[in-house]
Amino acid sequence: MIKRSYYRSSIQRFVEQSSEAILGELARSHHFALEITQRNAWLVQIKNLQEQLRPLGEGEIFFEFAIPRMGKRVDVIILYGNVVNVVEYKVGATEHTRQAADQVLDYALDLKNFHETSHARHIVPLLVSTRAKPVDNEIAYGRDKVAAPLYSNGRDVRSLIEMSNKVCMPELPAPPTANDQLSEPEQEPFEGWAEGRYKPTPTIVEAAQALYAGHAVEEISRSDAGARNLSHTSNEVLKIITNSRENGTKSICFVTGVPGSGKTLVGLNISANRNPNSEEHAVFLSGNGPLVTVLQEALARDEVEQAKFSASPVTKMQASQKVKAFVQNIHHFRDEGLRSSNPPTEHVVVFDEAQRAWNQAQAESFMSQKRGVDAFGMSEPEFLISVMNRRPDWCTIVCLVGEGQEINKGEAGLEEWFAALRNRFQDWKVYHSGKLTDASYTEDEDLNSSLSMLNAIESPDLHLSTSIRSYRAERLSEFVAAIIDGDDTRAMDTYSSLENYPLAVTRDIDRARRWLREHARGTERFGLVAASGALRLRPEGIHVRAKIDAANWFLNGKEDVRSSYYLEEAATEFDIQGLELDWTGVCWDADFRREDAVWGRYAFKGTRWQTIRDLYRRRYLANAYRVLLTRARQGMIIFVPEGDAEDVTRKPTYYDETFAFLRSCGIPELD
């Protein structure tokens, strides 16, 4: 277990202790070589806070308080009155940088959202740049009781702490004069605060980094139901793997779940917990190029950063090579199976978004055009199973299956997996959740007959029913499903449960951008998203054909024009599927529009919109908007253009009914 803080004390005891005694406690808890700069920084903090806190009386102080989701520690936390003061020191700094302000605000938001005993507390982030000029601060608490950052050079820490309490507790007495003794403020007790459970909901990137670093999946899920489901599902898959190994059998299991429930997290957990040198080593495979690119880049960057503090630094190239044993593009695995007839080294493979594997026609077309392979003769699922079937001993395939996630030509759904098992691999054991026959997974396919012809075993623990992506709104996927189904009555009923999930709709793209910037705090990531067929958003400055650089868009900071923060480039459903942002601006074009109370589906060809009649393409378009509407963890604004009466490709009637429908679903128009 990670130690919650390096040092903990009452304020009274802290101000009476010697600085060397406090420094000794800090050093004993520090697991790295203690550099002189860190030692000196602690001494500055101790001296400053002993001077500032001496008159305060009751309260508690923590040095180096852990923020597990972020893998970092807050310099100091001070509990006083009714406020959690989150203090970040920049010793020697002459100005308060935006990066430092974002850092301390991130810490405060993380405590508010994920630390159970901080949920109801007022939290104040305080940045102390020790050589900066004095700042006139005003305390401004948000609706969630988290204040905007305060700025200090260390000389007014006490007065800022007192001011923070006075604003949130007007009944507090005025600060004492030099001759007065400060009376203790009335307050809710902080007893048990430090021991409060920390239940984070990391992004998929943060989760991958945590799992890759050795954390358990239970440590990185905030929702109790979500954590329980993830644990049960992961354990069930591990049992299937163990059973396959011990009995020398070949098995395939299908893990299902609602959008945002953690299917990818389960797959990453299975891969992260297998020793690369053991026969149970698993690799996470995905055909989602942007997801693989972002995860590989994030893990490699993190590996290099963490290695800086160890005795064995690594290069970016070394880190990238190591990461590829953990997560790979499925096409590389497939191509290796084409180059060699040998069995794969892995006994366990995890296929993400298995329902998006190619049917035979699409696989043959790709193999012929891109790989020069004639007469391929198999669907992608059949080929992938056949590669694993080469193993003479045992193997397990883990298929992660999303509902309504097929978004591209030739994506076969589940039927191709079952056709392959039924026709060629009937000796395999097939494990499933019992949900595969639901309409959201099968569309018009009848999988009951396929299951009845196979050695199928039902296990309810292979289904994830609770969304953990949008920790503010577990029912977001239901709300989005109602929108895609065109059921505004059902959507309105669900909307009432989204009170902590800000939603808005606007006809003005610039107002949408402002809304995103105003709602996101710290380094919370925001960005614009749009369907790949939204070609007539170009007059609004949204160019979906200008492909983003996924690693830079999802990972780089506010100072980088290529990042999502700049709100200049929009990610499409192909870029963002499997990933997420904190806040999204969904840009809605006339490709998916309301017409006479139903959804019309169109593709823009040349100079006009053409009706999409192919059933599969109609499904892909609906699923594209389903993906876009389920990418935001904290809140979302939808932009529906006004259109242009002078432009036959952007008639106002193409957009007006869509806007009216979204309003009828309960989404408020931006004032």
Side-chain angles (χ1 to χ4, degrees):
M1 290 290 293
I2 187 169
K3 188 174 180 181
R4 187 55 62 91
S5 65
Y6 284 4
Y7 173 89
R8 174 182 183 178
S9 172
S10 68
I11 290 177
Q12 291 175 324
R13 173 175 173 266
F14 165 72
V15 298
E16 298 300 332
Q17 267 190 293
S18 71
S19 58
E20 289 301 325
I22 297 170
L23 182 65
E25 289 191 45
L26 289 168
R28 282 192 293 274
S29 298
H30 192 60
H31 299 300
F32 304 101
L34 183 57
E35 298 180 359
I36 189 66
T37 53
Q38 177 63 76
R39 179 183 183 278
N40 290 342
W42 279 337
L43 286 173
V44 170
Q45 295 168 28
I46 293 166
K47 182 177 184 295
N48 176 238
L49 289 172
Q50 285 184 326
E51 292 175 353
Q52 291 291 311
L53 303 185
R54 187 173 296 277
L56 289 186
E58 291 295 330
E60 197 164 8
I61 186 169
F62 303 80
F63 278 75
E64 302 293 333
F65 190 89
I67 305 289
R69 182 181 73 92
M70 301 172 67
K72 296 181 180 179
R73 290 181 178 274
V74 183
D75 283 344
V76 179
I77 285 182
I78 300 165
L79 307 181
Y80 176 73
N82 200 37
V83 175
V84 178
N85 299 277
V86 180
V87 188
E88 182 67 18
Y89 275 84
K90 299 300 177 185
V91 175
T94 57
E95 61 180 8
H96 305 292
T97 66
R98 185 176 73 171
Q99 183 178 11
D102 282 346
Q103 179 186 2
V104 70
L105 181 54
D106 283 346
Y107 292 152
L109 291 169
D110 207 84
L111 288 172
K112 167 61 68 172
N113 292 327
F114 307 125
H115 184 226
E116 195 170 46
T117 48
S118 294
H119 291 340
R121 294 289 182 178
H122 287 80
I123 303 179
V124 174
L126 174 56
L127 175 61
V128 181
S129 302
T130 59
R131 293 186 181 178
K133 294 179 180 179
V135 174
D136 290 330
N137 289 278
E138 290 187 7
I139 186 72
Y141 285 108
R143 290 177 56 191
D144 59 358
K145 300 182 181 179
V146 176
L150 302 181
Y151 303 99
S152 171
N153 56 16
R155 298 183 182 91
D156 56 353
V157 170
R158 170 193 163 191
S159 63
L160 291 176
I161 290 174
E162 291 171 339
M163 179 178 71
S164 301
N165 271 281
K166 187 173 183 179
V167 171
C168 75
M169 297 177 65
E171 71 278 8
L172 286 182
T177 66
N179 297 322
D180 292 335
Q181 183 176 358
L182 185 68
S183 60
E184 296 301 325
E186 295 180 14
Q187 58 185 279
E188 298 177 21
F190 273 107
E191 184 178 352
W193 178 86
E195 289 72 33
R197 289 183 298 175
Y198 184 82
K199 301 184 296 181
T201 299
T203 66
I204 195 63
V205 170
E206 291 168 336
Q209 290 170 331
L211 292 170
Y212 191 63
H215 292 282
V217 70
E218 296 86 355
E219 295 179 51
I220 55 175
S221 177
R222 174 179 184 268
S223 165
D224 288 341
R228 184 167 59 251
N229 282 357
L230 286 170
S231 178
H232 289 177
T233 301
S234 293
N235 289 337
E236 184 65 16
V237 174
L238 292 174
K239 281 169 54 180
I240 292 168
I241 293 171
T242 300
N243 182 272
S244 298
R245 176 176 56 79
E246 291 178 349
N247 295 292
T249 57
K250 295 174 180 177
S251 57
I252 183 169
C253 62
F254 294 88
V255 176
T256 55
V258 301
S261 58
K263 297 178 295 295
T264 301
L265 191 55
V266 168
L268 290 170
N269 186 48
I270 297 300
S271 302
N273 283 300
R274 322 315 297 171
N275 186 328
N277 298 317
S278 78
E279 67 172 10
E280 292 187 28
H281 166 58
V283 62
F284 179 88
L285 302 173
S286 176
N288 184 337
L291 174 67
V292 173
T293 297
V294 170
L295 289 181
Q296 287 182 340
E297 177 68 14
L299 292 173
R301 289 185 187 183
D302 195 52
E303 177 95 353
V304 171
E305 187 65 26
Q306 296 302 321
K308 290 180 181 178
F309 302 98
S310 71
S312 305
V314 298
T315 66
K316 180 74 173 297
M317 182 176 294
Q318 290 172 326
S320 296
Q321 289 299 319
K322 181 180 175 183
V323 163
K324 289 176 182 176
F326 173 47
V327 56
Q328 296 177 19
N329 193 303
I330 196 171
H331 304 313
H332 298 163
F333 179 85
R334 181 200 58 213
D335 291 350
E336 182 60 31
L338 281 170
R339 281 191 289 269
S340 170
S341 60
N342 293 327
T345 57
E346 296 88 358
H347 284 76
V348 182
V349 291
V350 179
F351 291 134
D352 192 30
E353 297 175 357
Q355 78 284 353
R356 295 187 61 196
W358 288 338
N359 58 27
Q360 182 172 332
Q362 182 67 15
E364 287 184 334
S365 173
F366 179 86
M367 291 299 180
S368 174
Q369 296 179 26
K370 303 294 186 180
R371 297 295 186 266
V373 178
D374 295 325
F376 185 67
M378 286 182 279
S379 67
E380 193 170 34
E382 182 178 355
F383 179 70
L384 294 172
I385 298 174
S386 71
V387 170
M388 294 304 295
N389 197 56
R390 295 173 188 172
R391 290 216 58 92
D393 43 8
W394 69 277
C395 65
T396 299
I397 295 175
V398 182
C399 291
L400 309 178
V401 182
E403 56 180 59
Q405 298 288 295
E406 303 94 323
I407 58 175
N408 209 353
K409 177 183 177 182
E411 294 178 351
L414 291 176
E415 175 52 33
E416 292 291 355
W417 289 94
F418 284 95
L421 290 164
R422 187 174 62 243
N423 297 332
R424 288 190 56 190
F425 307 105
Q426 289 200 1
D427 57 324
W428 280 54
K429 286 187 176 182
V430 180
Y431 296 86
H432 65 97
S433 65
K435 297 287 186 179
L436 292 179
T437 55
D438 289 2
S440 53
Y441 297 102
T442 62
E443 293 291 337
D444 299 323
E445 302 164 0
D446 179 14
L447 298 183
N448 280 308
S449 57
S450 293
L451 287 170
S452 66
M453 298 171 62
L454 298 169
N455 184 8
I457 302 159
E458 181 175 328
S459 172
D461 280 341
L462 292 177
H463 181 70
L464 296 162
S465 58
T466 303
S467 175
I468 60 172
R469 173 184 296 133
S470 302
Y471 57 85
R472 288 184 172 181
E474 292 186 347
R475 297 186 64 193
L476 178 65
S477 62
E478 295 178 44
F479 179 69
V480 170
I483 290 176
I484 300 300
D485 292 342
D487 190 339
D488 54 352
T489 300
R490 194 171 96 236
M492 175 66 86
D493 290 342
T494 309
Y495 178 77
S496 62
S497 69
L498 306 179
E499 58 184 10
N500 294 320
Y501 187 88
L503 279 167
V505 62
T506 183
R507 312 300 296 269
D508 185 331
I509 184 62
D510 289 328
R511 294 190 72 188
R513 289 187 172 105
R514 286 199 299 272
W515 187 93
L516 290 168
R517 293 187 178 109
E518 289 168 359
H519 278 74
R521 294 176 292 177
T523 58
E524 291 174 346
R525 186 166 289 274
F526 54 87
L528 299 176
V529 297
S532 57
L535 300 183
R536 295 311 294 143
L537 289 176
R538 189 166 61 176
E540 304 286 351
I542 307 299
H543 300 256
V544 295
R545 283 186 171 170
K547 187 165 180 59
I548 67 170
D549 182 321
N552 291 323
W553 197 85
F554 281 101
L555 299 176
N556 289 9
K558 294 179 179 179
E559 72 288 347
D560 194 318
V561 297
R562 299 168 296 176
S563 75
S564 65
Y565 291 117
Y566 263 73
L567 299 176
E568 293 182 358
E569 298 177 315
T572 70
E573 69 273 22
F574 300 115
D575 300 314
I576 204 167
Q577 188 174 40
L579 293 159
E580 66 261 303
L581 303 177
D582 289 296
W583 305 87
T584 60
V586 178
C587 303
W588 204 300
D589 202 9
D591 53 339
F592 192 61
R593 63 185 188 242
R594 295 297 284 178
E595 294 179 320
D596 300 324
V598 297
W599 286 114
R601 294 161 169 84
Y602 293 85
F604 192 78
K605 301 292 185 182
T607 61
R608 63 190 179 92
W609 293 104
Q610 297 180 0
T611 301
I612 297 175
R613 304 193 186 281
D614 179 82
L615 291 178
Y616 286 102
R617 290 179 62 206
R618 290 174 65 83
R619 183 199 305 175
Y620 299 152
L621 179 54
N623 286 344
Y625 275 84
R626 188 193 312 274
V627 167
L628 298 178
L629 291 166
T630 55
R631 297 302 100 187
R633 288 155 50 84
Q634 298 201 49
M636 164 174 57
I637 188 166
I638 300 173
F639 162 61
V640 181
E642 292 275 7
D644 184 349
E646 303 299 319
D647 184 345
V648 296
T649 69
R650 302 175 61 243
K651 295 179 181 180
T653 54
Y654 291 172
Y655 302 97
D656 290 344
E657 192 173 341
T658 299
F659 177 78
F661 173 75
L662 294 172
R663 292 283 289 111
S664 72
C665 291
I667 305 176
E669 182 177 2
L670 190 62
D671 294 332

